[in-house]
Amino acid sequence: MSLSDAQVLEAVSSLIDDNTGKPFVAAKAVKNIKISDAELSLDVVLAYPANSQHESVRQRFEAALAPLAEQRKLSVRVGSQITSHSAQRGVPLLSGVKNVIAVASGKGGVGKSTTAANLALALSAEGARVGILDADIYGPSQPLMMGLQGQRPETPDGKSLKPLENHGVQTMSIGYLVDADQAMVWRGPMVSQALQQLLNDTRWDNLDYLVIDMPPGTGDIQLTLSQKVPVTGAVIVTTPQDIALLDARKGVTMFQKVGIPILGMVENMAIHVCSNCGHAEHIFGEGGAARMAADFGVDVLGSLPLDMGIRLAADGGTPTVAADPDGKVAELYKAIARKVAVKVGEKAQDFSGKFPKIVIQNN
């Protein structure tokens, strides 16, 4: 039986990507179809990292193609290809970084930094090259969370910094450059300049995603980020509590005003399950993030429990996704990470980095 590419595409046309809700064929994820008397092979190339799901996708494609293959050897390869996507108009891409994701809250104390660290680790676990920048100049927490407190980055040329790496994630923070007990008594312009230097002077090594752990509020750092940094999208972290939602609304509004799209919301500390009796209780309220998301027309990317293990892991320098990669909480973070990456993958691509620089000289 002779086969054509069209027949192969027809056989898999009904397969739906569970992460995007769209057919793989319609998303142009099916590539490199090769047909011979001995073999039928193709590639499924996802626009987001999803290592944990590659095997299930491969099995679905093989099951759909088996009736066509007959005596041919069937080979389905599943992988990811992450590209740069558009950010604010007129803001150039960062060297060595394809996409920038800001994690913000508008309010402190809602677990934003813990969420940012685990989001970065989850993206890395799913197969992406990831970095995390601690943009909280006044209260950096990523050195502790990432198990790198007390270490100093190298400066090969006296001008740039090599990011420190742990758990497979590249990191940079003002906390690496000052003593842990030193208070940063700086005014806004100095803080903004420090942020720009940390971003631009760090030698990020071919990152698919740079996660920026934002400080609370809507002040100088947030404005600097929107004007100088090519942010692909923002993730808003909140708890169900009304007072947290009030500040989270301000964060959403700020990003909307400066043209940075909201990728979605993460509801932290959504429910507490007693470790002794198993009783579940919504300590900070219930459904607040869903109501707010509906008001702004954005998605809730996931809800995380109020769990002592999350806090202990972060304080110990090995966040949950690294400490217990196969646990239930890690799966929640990975699901959120895939949704974030899918949202990024759906944005328009940025090809500016592929064009040569044109210099016009007057002779």
Side-chain angles (χ1 to χ4, degrees):
M1 173 183 173
S2 61
L3 279 180
S4 66
D5 289 5
Q7 287 175 299
V8 172
L9 290 174
E10 177 62 27
V12 298
S13 61
S14 63
L15 296 180
I16 304 297
D17 185 341
D18 294 335
N19 293 300
T20 66
K22 300 175 182 178
F24 290 100
V25 172
K28 299 182 179 180
V30 181
K31 303 179 183 295
N32 303 324
I33 299 174
K34 295 180 180 179
I35 304 169
S36 69
D37 292 338
E39 185 177 13
L40 167 59
S41 66
L42 57 79
D43 296 338
V44 182
V45 183
L46 307 175
Y48 57 90
N51 277 0
S52 63
Q53 300 190 336
H54 285 181
E55 181 60 21
S56 64
V57 171
R58 185 186 64 79
Q59 290 177 1
R60 291 172 61 196
F61 269 81
E62 288 185 348
L65 291 170
L68 285 182
E70 295 184 328
Q71 302 302 317
R72 298 178 179 88
K73 177 184 177 183
L74 187 56
S75 176
V76 177
R77 298 171 294 270
V78 184
S80 300
Q81 185 175 17
I82 301 164
T83 58
S84 299
H85 293 82
S86 60
Q88 309 95 300
R89 183 175 298 176
V91 181
L93 295 178
L94 284 173
S95 177
V97 179
K98 293 179 182 177
N99 301 286
V100 177
I101 300 169
V103 179
S105 63
K107 179 179 178 60
V110 298
K112 168 189 52 60
S113 293
T114 303
T115 301
N118 278 294
L119 173 61
L121 289 166
L123 287 168
S124 177
E126 288 294 283
R129 292 183 60 85
V130 186
I132 184 166
L133 174 75
D134 191 347
D136 194 343
I137 303 298
Y138 295 119
S141 54
Q142 291 302 331
L144 174 64
M145 289 187 177
M146 294 300 291
L148 293 168
Q149 193 169 27
Q151 297 194 34
R152 295 285 186 267
E154 296 179 6
T155 173
D157 54 6
K159 298 178 181 178
S160 60
L161 298 169
K162 290 184 64 176
L164 295 177
E165 185 171 337
N166 200 15
H167 310 307
V169 171
Q170 300 172 42
T171 74
M172 183 52 64
S173 170
I174 193 70
Y176 298 140
L177 306 176
V178 299
D179 293 334
D181 295 332
Q182 182 178 340
M184 305 304 294
V185 189
W186 289 355
R187 294 190 183 274
M190 294 178 66
V191 173
S192 297
Q193 181 64 28
L195 174 62
Q196 291 183 65
Q197 286 185 301
L198 287 176
L199 274 167
N200 297 315
D201 294 347
T202 300
R203 292 186 173 186
W204 303 110
D205 184 11
N206 190 29
L207 297 183
D208 295 314
Y209 305 100
L210 175 63
V211 176
I212 300 185
D213 178 14
M214 298 290 294
T218 54
D220 291 303
I221 289 183
Q222 287 78 5
L223 290 175
T224 297
L225 190 84
S226 64
Q227 294 169 353
K228 305 291 185 180
V229 182
V231 181
T232 314
V235 174
I236 304 298
V237 180
T238 185
T239 66
Q241 190 178 10
D242 288 342
I243 191 65
L245 291 165
L246 182 66
D247 288 334
R249 286 177 175 271
K250 295 174 183 176
V252 172
T253 303
M254 179 204 69
F255 283 118
Q256 290 178 335
K257 284 183 177 180
V258 297
I260 295 175
I262 304 298
L263 301 174
M265 297 180 59
V266 173
E267 188 175 55
N268 204 19
M269 310 181 199
I271 191 171
H272 175 255
V273 179
C274 179
S275 57
N276 290 324
C277 68
H279 174 67
E281 189 173 10
H282 295 275
I283 295 176
F284 295 111
E286 183 178 2
R291 292 190 295 272
M292 177 180 158
D295 290 343
F296 286 99
V298 299
D299 295 333
V300 176
L301 302 170
S303 295
L304 296 160
L306 177 61
D307 188 298
M308 185 182 296
I310 297 176
R311 193 269 300 171
L312 290 173
D315 286 351
T318 307
T320 305
V321 174
D324 185 17
D326 298 320
K328 292 182 179 179
V329 175
E331 284 302 315
L332 291 175
Y333 280 118
K334 289 178 183 178
I336 292 169
R338 287 194 299 271
K339 290 178 181 178
V340 169
V342 166
K343 294 283 187 182
V344 170
E346 290 174 344
K347 290 174 60 61
Q349 293 188 29
D350 188 311
F351 297 102
S352 60
K354 299 182 181 295
F355 296 128
K357 293 183 179 179
I358 300 174
V359 178
I360 299 176
Q361 295 179 329
N362 292 325
N363 294 324

